[in-house]
Amino acid sequence: NTLCREEHDVANTNLLNFLGKADFDLLYPEKNPKQSPVIPAGSQIISNPVPIKSIDTKPSVENLLSYKNPFKPDPFAGSNNWAVGPMKTHNKKAILCNDPHLNLTLPSIWFENQITVPKEGINVYGISLPGVPAVIIGFNENIAWGITNGEQDFVDLYRMKWVDDKKVAYMLDGTIQPVKWRIEQIKVKGQVDVIDSVKYTHWGPIVFEDKNHPAQDLAMRWIAHDGIDNTSELKAFSLLNKAKNYADYASALQFYTVPMQNFVFAAKNGDIALQTQGLLPLKQDQQGRFVQDGSLSANGWQGFIPKSQNPQVYNPSRGFVASANQNSTDEKYPYYYNGYFDDYRGRYLVRSLTRLQDVTVDSMKKLQNDTHSLLAEETVDIFQKTLSKTSLTAVQKQWLDKLSAWDKNFDAQKVEPIFCEWWYNNFYASVWDELNSLVNDYDVLLPEDWVTLALVEKDPSNKYFDIKSTPDRESAPQLIVRALDKAIFSMDSLTKLNPTIDWANFKKSNIPHLARIPAFSTNFLNNGGVAEALNSVKKANGPSWRMIVEMGDKPKGYGVYPGGQSGNPGSIHYDDMVSTWEQGKYNELFFAVNASEAKQKSSLTYIFSHK
């Protein structure tokens, strides 16, 4: 649910109706021209794409929908992974890195383990989910792999044409279709069972039926409702666990279906690869971006992109592969897909790996813990250029000089991150005052950060910089100065209350207990990081596992997650790795190649199965 529930159909439909097509296209473009896609431009050529039928993709709703979706996924769920080939590493061996960003909890969602089944050719180390008899992210003697979310949209919403007010039958291609009822029996401890009757249509269930919402009765087409055999995912990971080379890795991924993930790969022989794998719907351009007409079956998906044509790259000439939830492909990819993609971590990751040479495990540790914000870098640069002809006070200049000297790293003990966040957030809120008025009543999205900054850079007199509540016609420089003054006032007020305030104490990261029991939680983490940095530590979300593996005759693994192997708060192993993780340090992963070697670690229990 967390990794394939992203959709903005209602929000986009509302915005299109409110703004009109010209302004919607201006403020909500689908691709950032500065993007560094997961698959390098020109590295994948598809000569025989599946033809797509032409359909009418015009949104079916013409009025604003008073609709707030309470089931939106966490927008901060993300991850980084990359692999560097021998041509760029110090030891001439491939190095693979992965850090999946998820909600942080105690106990952790992961547990660290080694699974060995000699008869099946399995000896693998990594992390697993409780109840899953396979390593999800890890390595064996021949390969290593890691995962990030693809971020594609797998949910489409449809407006139904009901036969009458009873809403138990609807029109589809000119014929009447009855709804199918599904009875959900929900067990509640100590109480009577809750019975819910759900309507199912050609597209899927009717999710909301509240008559007070004009958006009631939208049908949901979600890939998770397709009845896909979940055992195929388990088979994919089981095959990865014993894979020996690129061919085995590619073959294993053919069994993987949902949710769409970026699988990074590195091998003992130096091969590196990355595949965006899973079922990716075949859609016409713009299909599924808005609420669609549910009375026409032609508005449905046209199948799935052949897995062999999913975005993928093998041993690219640049010497590395990388993903950080950015757009999967460039504009030459022949298939349309929509989603909500990161615009900063991916670009920074590609820039960093391009510059790095003589790569080592230590340099990869530094990169995983990198707190540099490309958003802050570009914000300060663009704001200062925009104010180059503006008269400023001594205090304003003092802060601009301070931000110029700042390295744009959101380190724990710095104050510049606080000021930069306030400056940008104050500016952003003032720019989008027209849209902020809709937020409380309608499902809408505000423009992305890169769009906002591009507007400042290219069109500082654009009408959206005008504050509607004032008689004057404002432009970008005026709003930037006003936001600067607000940030200075806030910073002065804050430092009077707390002279030693720093970024760590300001953002107050923590790891809550699964049941939100304070006594079983880690209430303060003294670390840096920000959403746009590779070390993407937020309030209670961030790298749920950091892993680095250098391949060779015997793989050398390093890893840590913010938790412990025990779920018992009374155990010394309940949270014994939190401090290591917080400090950006790693444990060397003891990968036993046989039972005899495993016994050398007497403090740990290893189970070698011979069945």
Side-chain angles (χ1 to χ4, degrees), residues 20-65:
K21 189 175 188 309
D23 279 13
F24 178 82
D25 290 344
L26 172 68
L27 302 183
Y28 298 91
E30 291 197 84
K31 289 189 177 182
N32 184 346
K34 295 181 180 180
Q35 69 167 320
S36 297
V38 173
I39 308 306
S43 61
Q44 182 181 15
I45 299 174
I46 297 175
S47 57
N48 58 335
V50 177
I52 308 296
K53 297 177 183 177
S54 178
I55 62 172
D56 181 7
T57 57
K58 180 182 177 182
S60 70
V61 183
E62 297 180 358
N63 299 313
L64 290 179
L65 303 177

Side-chain angles (χ1 to χ4, degrees), residues 180-225:
K180 296 180 180 179
W181 293 95
R182 175 169 169 174
I183 309 301
E184 300 284 357
Q185 185 177 9
I186 304 168
K187 299 286 186 181
V188 181
K189 185 177 181 180
Q191 299 181 32
V192 177
D193 292 353
V194 175
I195 304 298
D196 189 16
S197 300
V198 183
K199 296 176 183 175
Y200 272 75
T201 70
H202 170 79
W203 307 107
I206 301 295
V207 182
F208 300 104
E209 295 189 77
D210 187 346
K211 64 181 180 181
N212 295 318
H213 285 294
Q216 64 176 313
D217 302 323
L218 292 181
M220 175 190 286
R221 171 73 167 98
W222 186 19
I223 196 170
H225 292 144

Side-chain angles (χ1 to χ4, degrees), residues 139-187:
F139 61 96
N140 60 33
E141 294 177 73
N142 298 293
I143 76 159
W145 74 96
I147 304 171
T148 68
N149 197 29
E151 300 294 333
Q152 287 83 2
D153 178 0
F154 294 101
V155 178
D156 287 355
L157 298 178
Y158 292 85
R159 170 68 78 186
M160 306 306 296
K161 184 181 290 186
W162 298 105
V163 172
D164 53 37
D165 291 342
K166 294 180 181 179
K167 298 181 180 179
V168 294
Y170 58 93
M171 300 302 298
L172 183 68
D173 297 334
T175 63
I176 297 176
Q177 299 288 332
V179 299
K180 296 180 180 179
W181 293 95
R182 175 169 169 174
I183 309 301
E184 300 284 357
Q185 185 177 9
I186 304 168
K187 299 286 186 181

Side-chain angles (χ1 to χ4, degrees), residues 467-513:
I467 305 299
K468 296 299 183 183
S469 60
T470 67
D472 299 328
R473 170 71 186 246
E474 290 90 354
S475 60
Q478 291 169 286
L479 299 192
I480 293 172
V481 171
R482 291 181 189 179
L484 179 62
D485 286 338
K486 287 183 179 179
I488 292 171
F489 176 81
S490 297
M491 200 73 207
D492 288 344
S493 301
L494 180 64
T495 51
K496 285 178 182 178
L497 292 173
N498 187 354
T500 61
I501 190 70
D502 57 25
W503 177 240
N505 283 279
F506 181 79
K507 72 181 176 77
K508 291 182 168 59
S509 294
N510 65 93
I511 307 177
H513 183 259

Side-chain angles (χ1 to χ4, degrees), residues 55 156 158 202-203 221 282-284 287 292-293 296-303:
I55 62 172
D156 287 355
Y158 292 85
H202 170 79
W203 307 107
R221 171 73 167 98
L282 275 170
K283 299 181 180 181
Q284 182 175 284
Q287 185 182 0
Q292 299 173 81
D293 183 354
L296 299 173
S297 63
N299 285 334
W301 301 344
Q302 300 178 35

